[in-house]
Amino acid sequence: QRQMCIRVMNGIVAAFNDSHEYVITVVPTSIEGSYDQIFKDTVAGLAVGEVPDLVVAYPSMVAEYMEAEAPLALDPYVASEKYGLTEGEFNDYFPVYIEDNTYPAYDNQMLSWPFHKSMVVLFANETLLTEAGVDKMPETWQEFYDACKMVVENTAATNCWSIHVEASDLDGFMASVGVYPQVDSAALTSRMNDPAFVEWFELVQQMVDEGLARPEAERYSGDDEMIAGDAAFTTGSSSGIFYFPANEDGTFAIDWKVVPIAHAEGIDPISTVYGANVMAVKEDDAQRDLAKWLFIKYWSSPEVVKKWILGTEEIRGSSYMPLQKSLAADPDVQAYIEGSYYNQRWGEAVAQLEIGVIEPQLAGQQAVRDILEDAYLRIIGGEDVQTVLDESKALADEAFQLKGGQ
């Protein structure tokens, strides 16, 4: 999928270079590796003044880049009568994306713009659930536990939940039990040892102890375990939908769905919207800074995002989310959703955007992501939940306060 996305991206960049009225040429560059690798390379580049004009970044990364005062505030460009967005264009963006790119710690400036957006979702093996006698997709965590009991007791499956260890999933799980925001931004403290999250983790540990859940055998192998009939659920990014293993003829060994993660009783359905935004690197060059915004505006326009989603006849598009409400409802996008089993599952994820919330934007969150994942592994490995979360909270608080939240 990465190579296909690059081909679509290069086509969009070429179209911009050929069509606009300005003297601007965008040259795509690529860094091999994960977003974390891009973050490390960008931090190193900022130290010596060698960075691209535009960089993809999670909000927590943008907060770290503010140490070097690198991000270009986009507010004046967005509001510009000549170069900006109309009120209708601005309000067409899903509100969660605007929130995700507005930074309270920095005077509510817009220091980045929506780019590659995904959502934490639950992948569900309908075939296995039906075989187990589960007649309703679980919505609450108690129903999730009960469904997993039925799967392990009534089928040949040796597991129900293939646990994917990922910080963004954990941010979603915290929100799902009412621990949102996940941090106290004023006190620069984490809420990861909140009693509701302790209780949730105790349920997870109980499920592991009872043989209802276990870590995926390899990273991102949960969908393989579902296909093999040995798991009913795994969580992950909506951007991974098109990686779900299909037969050579495009069919699937199981019926599967993409549904919201479970939530606590009394909490509305909720999950984490996350993924890379695009940050413009500030320079002492007004024309060049304007050029950065003009490309960002072009790239994020509904017409271009539509190309990014749909691709071409030869190249499948990306599995990232639409940025605008009008695009999600666009007839071509709706026809695309109905066009294949994969696309229908993607449509199920898009339908969840209205329940999306953001991850913490504070400087220090990059370190806290690692702390959260380590806590997850320790707890499913059998360590005492309260002790682990208390220790992890202390480490997280230290990380936030070391950076001063900004």
Side-chain angles (χ1 to χ4, degrees):
Q1 182 178 353
R2 181 177 184 275
Q3 291 304 316
M4 288 187 284
C5 285
I6 289 174
R7 290 172 64 189
V8 174
M9 182 186 301
N10 287 342
I12 291 171
V13 170
F16 173 79
N17 289 338
D18 292 341
S19 64
H20 64 76
E21 60 186 288
Y22 312 103
V23 185
I24 303 171
T25 300
V26 176
V27 180
T29 60
S30 178
I31 297 174
E32 294 295 330
S34 65
Y35 288 125
D36 285 340
Q37 186 59 51
I38 294 173
F39 172 66
K40 292 173 183 176
D41 289 353
T42 301
V43 169
L46 286 171
V48 295
E50 296 179 1
V51 290
D53 292 297
L54 301 170
V55 179
V56 292
Y58 277 55
S60 54
M61 298 174 183
V62 174
E64 300 269 351
Y65 298 148
M66 279 299 286
E67 291 185 12
E69 299 183 349
L72 174 68
L74 299 177
D75 309 72
Y77 303 98
V78 175
S80 169
E81 185 173 338
K82 183 175 182 179
Y83 300 112
L85 301 176
T86 67
E87 182 178 358
E89 289 170 335
F90 183 81
N91 291 335
D92 192 24
Y93 280 84
F94 282 97
V96 68
Y97 297 150
I98 300 300
E99 182 184 5
D100 193 45
N101 288 276
T102 304
Y103 295 77
Y106 302 101
D107 299 323
N108 285 312
Q109 295 181 94
M110 298 197 72
L111 301 176
S112 53
W113 196 255
F115 191 55
H116 293 168
K117 305 310 295 181
S118 304
M119 190 164 190
V120 174
V121 296
L122 181 67
F123 295 86
N125 183 340
E126 277 199 319
T127 299
L128 191 59
L129 291 170
T130 299
E131 182 184 344
V134 178
D135 57 9
K136 174 181 175 291
M137 194 64 68
E139 296 180 7
T140 68
W141 284 111
Q142 183 60 52
E143 291 172 354
F144 185 82
Y145 170 82
D146 293 340
C148 280
K149 286 279 284 187
M150 294 177 68
V151 166
V152 172
E153 290 175 356
N154 300 337
T155 74
T158 63
N159 181 43
C160 175
W161 178 14
S162 182
I163 297 175
H164 176 61
V165 178
E166 167 66 44
S168 294
D169 291 24
L170 286 161
D171 281 331
F173 297 151
M174 290 176 75
S176 79
V177 295
V179 185
Y180 184 80
Q182 301 94 336
V183 300
D184 183 331
S185 298
L188 298 181
T189 56
S190 169
R191 298 178 62 200
M192 69 175 68
N193 68 343
D194 184 283
F197 201 41
V198 173
E199 182 179 348
W200 178 83
F201 254 127
E202 288 172 345
L203 176 64
V204 174
Q205 194 172 72
Q206 178 184 347
M207 292 181 71
V208 172
D209 291 343
E210 293 179 6
L212 309 181
R214 63 174 178 242
E216 55 193 359
E218 298 177 4
R219 190 160 177 78
Y220 303 117
S221 69
D223 51 6
D224 293 310
E225 293 163 38
M226 288 173 62
I227 288 290
D230 212 26
F233 301 108
T234 193
T235 56
S237 169
S238 57
S239 65
I241 287 171
F242 292 118
Y243 291 103
F244 206 92
N247 299 324
E248 289 186 5
D249 62 0
T251 61
F252 293 90
I254 62 169
D255 290 324
W256 55 285
K257 289 286 188 290
V258 175
V259 301
I261 60 173
H263 55 87
E265 292 280 358
I267 302 295
D268 290 333
I270 194 170
S271 191
T272 309
V273 169
Y274 69 114
N277 299 313
V278 60
M279 181 194 80
V281 178
K282 181 171 58 179
E283 294 183 74
D284 188 20
D285 185 332
Q287 287 189 324
R288 195 173 185 90
D289 284 348
L290 174 59
K292 297 166 192 175
W293 161 248
L294 291 173
F295 179 71
I296 290 172
K297 178 184 175 182
Y298 172 85
W299 175 273
S300 58
S301 65
E303 298 80 10
V304 173
V305 177
K306 185 174 175 178
K307 293 177 185 176
W308 179 235
I309 291 171
L310 302 185
T312 67
E313 290 184 3
E314 297 80 23
I315 309 171
R316 191 184 72 206
S318 80
S319 53
Y320 293 108
M321 294 291 200
L323 301 182
Q324 294 89 356
K325 291 171 283 187
S326 64
L327 184 56
D330 182 273
D332 291 337
V333 173
Q334 289 299 309
Y336 172 78
I337 288 172
E338 296 303 319
S340 75
Y341 196 91
Y342 268 135
N343 296 359
Q344 290 167 20
R345 305 291 77 77
W346 179 79
E348 290 168 350
V350 172
Q352 297 175 41
L353 276 171
E354 296 292 351
I355 66 170
V357 295
I358 68 171
E359 295 187 281
Q361 301 167 304
L362 293 179
Q365 174 66 12
Q366 283 302 110
V368 173
R369 290 176 64 85
D370 292 337
I371 293 166
L372 263 175
E373 291 178 2
D374 181 64
Y376 206 177
L377 289 169
R378 289 174 64 189
I379 289 170
I380 60 181
E383 294 189 44
D384 179 71
V385 173
Q386 186 71 63
T387 300
V388 170
L389 292 181
D390 285 345
E391 292 175 354
S392 299
K393 172 189 161 50
L395 292 172
D397 292 353
E398 182 180 348
F400 285 136
Q401 290 160 19
L402 179 66
K403 296 286 186 178
Q406 54 178 284

